């Protein structure tokens, strides 16, 4: 099932830099985030509480620290990347144990078929400050509560018309928390296995971002080197 999905592990995350055509750093070793602020070019949906996002060094690795709270938060960087041209998403993460259930900190990727887009969408894409970019599908890449869930695809509201969301469990397990792991996922492969009837020739990645679900106590996730490439 995971033949087309590449997932590698190491004790230290690989530094991601823009060193070839067709790759983009979304959150690098020195991300564009300032403490408690959203950088230029990013969109936030929900309020950021003090200390919820900050740049730290963990085991000597510069990373974006994201902490869950009682509120939900989504912050994304808009993109116009063609899926087939840049299908690989890679990053490193170090997650605090969350107990039962999936980790509240997750990665998000939005997709839209340009053949179906409205004429007004291109303009609204860059001026919206309160809503994440227009999308038809969204994949969440999550840290599960068990390592055995790795590679699992779960659809949300599979009978709902129009926009559909799904999640992909990349890694999990209490035994794997508090350690750095490097991941690379094939977005094209996962998308086609999730929505096999969709046309993908003109499918674009409209955003890549990070979200937190509400939690009764603060739980942190550290992310470094978030990168889209071919």
């Amino acid at each position: 099932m995971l033949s087309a999905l590449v997932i590698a592990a190491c004790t230290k995350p690989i530094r991601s830099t823009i060193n070839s055509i067709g790759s983009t750093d979304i959150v690098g070793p020195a991300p564009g985030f300032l403490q408690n602020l959203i950088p230029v070019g990013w969109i936030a949906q929900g309020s950021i509480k003090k200390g919820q996002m900050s740049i730290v060094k963990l085991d000597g690795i510069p990373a974006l620290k994201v902490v869950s709270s009682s509120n939900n938060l989504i912050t994304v960087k808009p993109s116009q990347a063609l899926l087939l041209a840049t299908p690989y998403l890679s990053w490193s993460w170090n997650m605090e144990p969350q107990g039962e259930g999936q980790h509240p900190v997750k990665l998000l990727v939005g997709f839209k078929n340009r053949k179906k887009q409205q004429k007004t969408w291109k303009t609204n894409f860059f001026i919206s400050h309160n809503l994440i970019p227009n999308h038809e599908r969204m994949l969440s890449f999550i840290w599960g509560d068990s390592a055995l869930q790795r590679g699992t695809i779960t659809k949300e509201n599979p009978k709902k018309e129009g926009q559909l969301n799904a999640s992909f469990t990349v890694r999990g397990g209490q035994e794997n928390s508090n350690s750095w792991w490097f991941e690379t996922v094939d977005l094209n492969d996962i998308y086609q296995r999730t929505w096999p009837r969709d046309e993908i020739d003109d499918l674009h990645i409209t955003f890549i971002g990070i979200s937190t679900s509400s939690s009764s106590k603060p739980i942190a996730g550290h992310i470094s080197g978030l990168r889209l490439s071919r």
Side-chain angles (χ1 to χ4, degrees), residues 144-159:
D145 58 356
S146 170
L148 298 177
Q149 297 170 343
R150 189 178 180 188
T152 302
I153 296 174
T154 305
K155 285 187 178 181
E156 299 177 15
N157 301 321
K159 296 182 180 180

Side-chain angles (χ1 to χ4, degrees), residues 43-196:
I43 295 171
Q45 186 174 2
S47 60
I48 301 179
K49 295 186 176 182
K50 184 178 180 179
Q52 195 169 7
M53 283 190 172
S54 58
I55 300 301
V56 300
K57 277 193 174 182
L58 182 63
D59 298 332
I61 305 300
L64 174 65
K65 181 180 180 181
V66 185
V67 184
S68 65
S69 69
S70 57
N71 67 306
N72 295 322
L73 173 67
I74 298 176
T75 178
V76 303
K77 183 175 183 180
S79 168
Q80 298 188 71
L82 185 66
L83 174 62
L84 293 178
T86 53
Y88 297 104
L89 183 68
S90 59
W91 71 95
S92 297
W93 54 356
N94 187 315
M95 311 295 272
E96 288 185 355
Q98 78 275 17
E100 187 176 348
Q102 70 183 45
H103 202 284
V105 178
K106 65 192 75 173
L107 302 182
L108 305 177
V109 181
F111 303 89
K112 185 174 179 66
N113 192 318
R114 286 293 178 85
K115 293 179 181 178
K116 300 178 183 179
Q117 76 180 43
Q118 301 293 326
K119 293 182 179 180
T120 58
W121 176 76
K122 187 173 183 180
T123 300
N124 291 338
F125 182 89
F126 291 101
I127 65 174
S128 173
H129 297 289
N130 298 314
L131 299 175
I132 60 177
N134 199 326
H135 60 288
E136 296 168 332
R137 312 285 198 197
M138 184 170 71
L139 276 170
S140 301
F141 293 91
I142 67 175
W143 182 283
D145 58 356
S146 170
L148 298 177
Q149 297 170 343
R150 189 178 180 188
T152 302
I153 296 174
T154 305
K155 285 187 178 181
E156 299 177 15
N157 301 321
K159 296 182 180 180
K160 181 180 178 181
E161 294 294 331
Q163 179 181 308
L164 292 176
N165 299 333
S167 62
F168 182 90
T169 303
V170 184
R171 196 175 292 273
Q174 303 297 321
E175 67 276 17
N176 292 321
S177 60
N178 292 324
S179 296
W180 279 110
W181 298 92
F182 175 71
E183 319 284 2
T184 299
V185 296
D186 186 339
L187 297 175
N188 178 39
D189 171 68
I190 297 172
Y191 187 98
Q192 290 195 63
R193 288 195 284 124
T194 307
W195 298 289

